[in-house]
Amino acid sequence: MSPNNTNPQAYDIRYDVIRTVAIIFVITIHSLQLLYEASMAEGNVLSPTTLSYSLLQFVHTGVPIFVMLSGALLLAKEEPMGAFFKKRCVRLLKPFLLWSVIVFAIRYVMELDGDSLWGYLKGLAYATVYDNGAHTIYWYVFLIVTLYLFTPALRVYVHAASKGNIYFLLALMLAVEILDFCLPDTTLLAYFPVKFMIKLKFFIGGYAIVRYMQHESWYRPAVITSLIIGYAVLIVNLWCNGSEFAKDTYRLCSLLAIGIFGLLYVSIPCNVSEQRHPIIRVVKAISRYSYGIYLTHFLFISFFLRLFPGIVSALPICVEPLVMVFCVLVADTVMIHLLCKLGIRNWVC
């Protein structure tokens, strides 16, 4: 979606910044989880685990932000269904196929004690069909494929629906999520695909923010309130971690994700003419390679932990994620950039 301006050198940097923030959050999740698990193993229930857990809840919004960004960009477009699937599926599945083969090969040798090519192929096929793929974090690929399948129909709906109808649908989805959180065993909610509705809410919500909500007078106060309430709920969940109130983290971050995405979208200047500024070039590169970074970042995290285990364990809780994210992001971006220079960009990101 191009900004309305007369400067041909200007472009809307908001999407690149939001995508960069989201991938940084995802890297932080998998970096911080390791330290959090280590703290729990040592019996540290609150401090420094309080800070670790609080940050972990905050960065869990990375995937919802990605989903909201996809909805904002895809639902606004109009294109033939065949062209959409051909373009999106090829772009999504080719890197997924390549990195799945490589990642499962590494796991097959190092973790699964594999000794035959046939066993490797069967294991990869089984993991892809019955599991989350070659690695557990690849569940996002299956989620986004499912949302792509619904995109042509959703485009017809959102283009024909009024603003009020879209607001009602989002409110209904949020209400179902809240009821499922508070009353998980009710018969009525058993007939709702609640988990998928949560993801779909983010997908349509991203479109609604870009198309309608940002122009509303109540929008900025609403997203600030959403951010505060969402984070407060997550912190309360920390203190009630052993009680019935402690639920799945992903289902607790809706208000927080909406608040972060909404504030980023309205706070970042949309028109940037100095595209050669170093910071802008870095943001654009990370955004451009974000899918490849997502598919490979955990390899760099594992390598970093194996290479510098003493350094990582000695770092303060507030420093470790920053060091890990910086090292992984730089190394992964450089690797993807070099692979793209070889002419295989469509296969790596």
Side-chain angles (χ1 to χ4, degrees), residues 124-348:
L124 177 61
Y126 182 88
T128 302
V129 174
Y130 295 102
D131 208 341
N132 286 314
H135 195 276
T136 54
I137 72 163
Y138 285 178
W139 67 269
Y140 172 75
V141 178
F142 297 91
L143 165 63
I144 207 69
V145 166
T146 304
L147 291 173
Y148 280 0
L149 293 176
F150 280 84
T151 296
L154 288 174
R155 281 177 172 172
V156 174
Y157 168 76
V158 298
H159 292 172
S162 66
K163 178 175 65 175
N165 287 339
I166 293 179
Y167 285 177
F168 172 78
L169 179 62
L170 292 174
L172 177 63
M173 290 179 173
L174 184 60
V176 169
E177 179 185 2
I178 294 173
L179 286 174
D180 182 61
F181 173 75
C182 298
L183 304 169
D185 300 322
T186 57
T187 303
L188 175 63
L189 295 175
Y191 293 92
F192 282 86
V194 177
K195 290 185 178 180
F196 180 69
M197 286 185 68
I198 295 173
K199 281 77 169 181
L200 193 61
K201 177 185 78 262
F202 290 130
F203 199 62
I204 299 177
Y207 167 83
I209 287 175
V210 173
R211 179 68 176 85
Y212 296 115
M213 293 185 186
Q214 64 166 318
H215 306 296
E216 305 280 8
S217 60
W218 49 260
Y219 173 74
R220 189 180 290 269
V223 294
I224 293 175
T225 303
S226 176
L227 185 69
I228 294 173
I229 294 177
Y231 197 64
V233 170
L234 291 174
I235 297 303
V236 169
N237 183 57
L238 165 63
W239 291 93
C240 302
N241 199 30
S243 71
E244 184 64 24
F245 184 69
K247 304 288 184 178
D248 176 44
T249 298
Y250 189 86
R251 292 170 55 201
L252 284 171
C253 67
S254 291
L255 292 175
L256 187 57
I258 293 170
I260 294 174
F261 181 92
L263 280 180
L264 285 173
Y265 192 80
V266 297
S267 301
I268 301 168
C270 61
N271 298 339
V272 179
S273 58
E274 298 295 332
Q275 295 193 38
R276 301 190 65 83
H277 191 281
I279 295 179
I280 295 177
R281 295 179 66 182
V282 169
V283 169
K284 291 178 67 176
I286 295 174
S287 174
R288 186 184 312 119
Y289 303 146
S290 60
Y291 184 48
I293 294 173
Y294 158 75
L295 293 172
T296 58
H297 71 276
F298 60 91
L299 297 176
F300 287 92
I301 292 177
S302 299
F303 175 77
F304 188 80
L305 291 174
R306 287 175 180 268
L307 193 62
F308 307 110
I311 296 178
V312 173
S313 61
L315 291 173
I317 185 69
C318 58
V319 175
E320 184 273 345
L322 301 178
V323 174
M324 181 74 80
V325 170
F326 177 79
C327 294
V328 170
L329 193 60
V330 170
D332 213 343
T333 303
V334 170
M335 181 193 73
I336 299 296
H337 178 72
L338 293 176
L339 291 174
C340 290
K341 288 294 185 181
L342 296 177
I344 56 173
R345 176 179 174 180
N346 290 337
W347 282 96
V348 296

Side-chain angles (χ1 to χ4, degrees), residues 40-80:
M40 291 296 292
E42 295 173 1
N44 298 326
V45 179
L46 292 179
S47 181
T49 307
T50 299
L51 180 58
S52 172
Y53 188 88
S54 302
L55 180 59
L56 181 61
Q57 306 311 292
F58 189 85
V59 297
H60 256 287
T61 59
V63 169
I65 290 173
F66 267 127
V67 175
M68 294 180 74
L69 186 61
S70 296
L73 292 171
L74 294 180
L75 293 180
K77 294 182 178 179
E78 295 184 7
E79 57 185 330

Side-chain angles (χ1 to χ4, degrees), residues 86-120:
K86 181 178 179 180
K87 177 182 178 181
R88 295 295 166 181
C89 289
V90 169
R91 182 178 179 182
L92 191 75
L93 296 180
K94 287 174 72 173
F96 174 67
L97 175 62
L98 175 65
W99 291 117
S100 292
V101 169
I102 295 173
V103 167
F104 196 79
I106 295 173
R107 292 189 58 213
Y108 189 69
V109 172
M110 299 184 65
E111 301 175 13
L112 305 176
D113 300 322
D115 57 1
S116 70
L117 177 61
W118 177 238
Y120 159 77

